[in-house]
Amino acid sequence: RLLAVAMAGILPLTLAAVVGLYFVAWSQGQQAEQRNLDVTRLAATAIETELNRSLAVLESMALARIPDGGELQVSEYADMFQRILPMMPHWHSVLLVSPEGEVLKRVTRRQISEGGPLADPDSFYQALAKEVPSIGNLVRTYDGDWGIPLRLPVPETVSPS
């Protein structure tokens, strides 16, 4: 009889403890999920800010003119971008590409070369068709690194020389 009375007192207490532990674990899981979402949002905002900043730099460079009001040649753009690349640590390279998708100049910190494949050609042609700056997909670059191509259609006033 004493055992039945003890069990009658302990059983509700045990049940309350189990339910309490369940809700504590559930609450901690919800908090962890919320923290993960917050960190993801912060990272996405930082990435978006950097991509938009990079597009703004590209847009300003695309509008560059020589002092007498003339147009820059492709080789002059390549030289200008090679001087800018060291100031943009997250940039891998700059490609000057014809509307047909031919890489005219590939500018890296070390060299300026011609030709080579175009990473994510679909986003390139899509940017050309819409005539607006766009952000491509995460792809492997010409050198095997990962990168996100930024596409900026430039009016065809630039001479290919």
Side-chain angles (χ1 to χ4, degrees):
R1 247 186 164 152
L2 191 56
L3 185 60
V5 171
M7 287 300 279
I10 292 175
L11 189 60
L13 185 61
T14 304
L15 185 59
V18 167
V19 169
L21 282 173
Y22 171 77
F23 281 115
V24 166
W26 178 80
S27 172
Q28 285 183 347
Q30 294 290 63
Q31 288 175 355
E33 185 176 324
Q34 186 62 43
R35 281 192 303 271
N36 288 340
L37 283 173
D38 291 343
V39 167
T40 302
R41 283 188 192 112
L42 286 172
T45 300
I47 290 168
E48 182 179 14
T49 300
E50 181 63 27
L51 290 172
N52 287 333
R53 183 178 74 87
S54 293
L55 276 175
V57 170
L58 284 174
E59 286 174 334
S60 65
M61 299 296 291
L63 298 174
R65 302 282 189 259
I66 52 178
D68 67 0
E71 300 295 331
L72 290 175
Q73 306 295 316
V74 169
S75 60
E76 293 170 315
Y77 269 107
D79 291 339
M80 181 174 54
F81 277 115
Q82 194 170 37
R83 289 191 306 273
I84 296 296
L85 273 173
M87 293 181 263
M88 305 301 289
H90 302 296
W91 288 16
H92 177 268
S93 60
V94 175
L95 277 61
L96 301 172
V97 183
S98 73
E100 294 77 32
E102 174 191 355
V103 176
L104 302 173
K105 297 286 183 184
R106 180 178 305 275
V107 183
T108 66
R109 286 176 181 78
R110 295 180 304 266
Q111 66 182 4
I112 299 175
S113 60
E114 295 183 14
L118 181 64
D120 193 17
D122 292 340
S123 72
F124 172 78
Y125 292 114
Q126 187 177 38
L128 274 183
K130 292 181 179 179
E131 296 182 350
V132 294
S134 67
I135 298 170
N137 299 309
L138 180 66
V139 293
R140 281 210 185 264
T141 64
Y142 181 66
D143 297 335
D145 296 329
W146 288 97
I148 300 173
L150 303 179
R151 308 297 189 187
L152 179 68
V154 178
E156 289 191 54
T157 57
V158 177
S159 170
S161 315

